Amino acid sequence: MVASAAGSASTLVSELRMLQTSNGGSIIPISRTNARSIQSAKPTRRAHPQSVRHVRQMAKLTTAAKSVELSPSASQTALTMSSRPGSLSAAKVLAPPSVRPHTAGAFKARTVEPTRFRYFYDRGDLPVRVNFAGAVRKLQWQVDLSLLDFSHYLPVFMEGLRELEEPYHFLALNGTLDMLEKGGSRVLPCLSLLIPPMKANLMTRNQTVLCLQMKVLQRLVLCCPYTGEALVPYYRQLLSIFNLFITKRVNCGDSIDYAQRRQENVGDLILDTLNVLEKHGGPDAFVNMKYMIPTYESCMTRRR
């Protein structure tokens, strides 16, 4: 009996020591009051089903916002859901993701529609053909240029400058240059008829068409003594594209740019064309050019 009592006492002492060790060395007594409070304690209240539903809906909206941008109606729905009674107070309206703005496309080349030159050439109404007799192809006129009606054919050939396919491109360019070179004073009466096709060529914003049109415009100014002055009233129709592309220059440092030899740099070609227009445009040329192109500086001023 004594041995069993001693064993039970030692067991009780060891349990008390373990209890002290687990509670930081202090024994917490359990009184009747604590026992009653433990028994009368109610289980934790479950989450409101509407709050759980709101959390799930907000999770779905978050997943959808990552893939597509929220529309105003969707953001308004999220705002209404967050303002309902019983919803989460910390819910925030999802902001649409940032979208990079699109470019305006001011320098983008426009689509070139088929011109009257193509239609007339396919129908056989133009008195020109390509001569392949030599090593280099040439333009051959089937009638004498002195017998041509410049007021009818020259605008058609000028309109064909925006044709980029062969043989229309070759025929339109060489035909226009031949008529300007051999036309002389016959070009001046039909100058007003050349403004619409020249403006349409410039509005294409195609670099190849722009370079061709500027070269032809320089030839047009030099073909007749009074053509430059007659073009001054039409600067507002022609120089708007010049103002847009005047800064398109190539800065290649000490490298070689072969486009300069071929005169294919749009910015440099625009400056050369403006200089020709100012030199042959009379006293009112610079004022009208400065109105359309504010950054242009006169080439006629004296340098000190």
Side-chain angles (χ1 to χ4, degrees):
M1 294 291 292
V2 176
S4 61
S8 60
S10 62
T11 304
L12 182 60
V13 170
S14 61
E15 291 178 357
L16 288 174
R17 289 178 179 177
M18 293 176 61
L19 184 61
Q20 289 179 359
T21 304
S22 61
N23 292 294
S26 61
I27 301 175
I28 302 176
I30 300 177
S31 60
R32 294 182 179 180
T33 306
N34 294 337
R36 291 177 181 176
S37 62
I38 293 174
Q39 292 177 0
S40 62
K42 296 181 180 180
T44 56
R45 186 178 180 181
R46 294 183 180 179
H48 197 276
Q50 189 175 3
S51 301
V52 177
R53 191 183 307 110
H54 175 74
V55 171
R56 292 177 181 175
Q57 292 176 354
M58 293 298 292
K60 292 180 180 179
L61 287 176
T62 305
T63 306
K66 292 180 180 179
S67 57
V68 295
E69 182 182 359
L70 279 178
S71 60
S73 59
S75 59
Q76 185 67 23
T77 304
L79 180 61
T80 306
M81 290 172 54
S82 61
S83 61
R84 289 178 180 175
S87 61
L88 296 178
S89 59
K92 298 181 180 180
V93 179
L94 297 176
S98 58
V99 180
R100 186 176 181 180
H102 299 285
T103 57
F107 302 98
K108 184 179 179 181
R110 285 4 181 210
T111 304
V112 179
E113 300 293 338
T115 61
R116 292 186 302 166
F117 180 84
R118 178 193 291 259
Y119 176 74
F120 289 157
Y121 180 76
D122 292 340
R123 202 172 63 173
D125 294 342
L126 300 179
V128 291
R129 67 184 183 92
V130 183
N131 186 4
F132 295 96
V136 181
R137 59 179 180 173
K138 298 179 181 179
L139 178 68
Q140 182 177 355
W141 292 91
Q142 298 178 356
V143 296
D144 190 5
L145 286 177
S146 60
L147 302 177
L148 285 179
D149 184 7
F150 273 52
S151 61
H152 173 71
Y153 286 102
L154 187 55
V156 174
F157 276 84
M158 188 72 72
E159 184 178 351
L161 291 178
R162 58 177 180 266
E163 291 285 352
L164 301 178
E165 298 182 5
E166 297 294 345
Y168 312 106
H169 176 76
F170 174 79
L171 292 172
L173 176 60
N174 290 274
T176 304
L177 295 179
D178 287 349
M179 296 179 72
L180 293 179
E181 181 181 357
K182 301 177 182 179
S185 59
R186 300 175 61 188
V187 179
L188 186 59
C190 59
L191 184 62
S192 60
L193 302 176
L194 301 179
I195 301 302
M198 286 195 296
K199 181 181 179 181
N201 295 340
L202 295 173
M203 286 299 177
T204 58
R205 292 174 171 84
N206 188 295
Q207 184 173 356
T208 304
V209 179
L210 288 177
C211 294
L212 289 178
Q213 183 58 67
M214 292 175 194
K215 294 176 184 178
V216 171
L217 183 58
Q218 294 180 17
R219 294 286 188 91
L220 177 63
V221 174
L222 299 176
C223 71
C224 183
Y226 302 102
T227 307
E229 296 183 10
L231 281 174
V232 174
Y234 303 104
Y235 282 175
R236 296 191 178 186
Q237 283 78 22
L238 301 177
L239 299 187
S240 58
I241 299 298
F242 284 41
N243 186 33
L244 186 63
F245 286 90
I246 194 172
T247 58
K248 288 291 183 178
R249 303 177 187 174
V250 179
N251 185 8
C252 57
D254 58 347
S255 302
I256 298 176
D257 183 18
Y258 294 97
Q260 293 180 349
R261 179 174 59 86
R262 297 190 296 264
Q263 294 183 349
E264 294 179 355
N265 287 338
V266 179
D268 297 339
L269 199 55
I270 286 176
L271 287 179
D272 295 341
T273 306
L274 292 176
N275 293 339
V276 173
L277 291 175
E278 183 183 1
K279 291 178 181 179
H280 299 83
D284 298 332
F286 175 71
V287 177
N288 291 272
M289 293 168 62
K290 191 70 174 180
Y291 178 79
M292 296 301 301
I293 308 175
T295 58
Y296 175 71
E297 297 295 336
S298 176
C299 64
M300 304 292 290
T301 55
R302 298 179 181 178
R303 297 181 180 179
R304 297 180 180 178

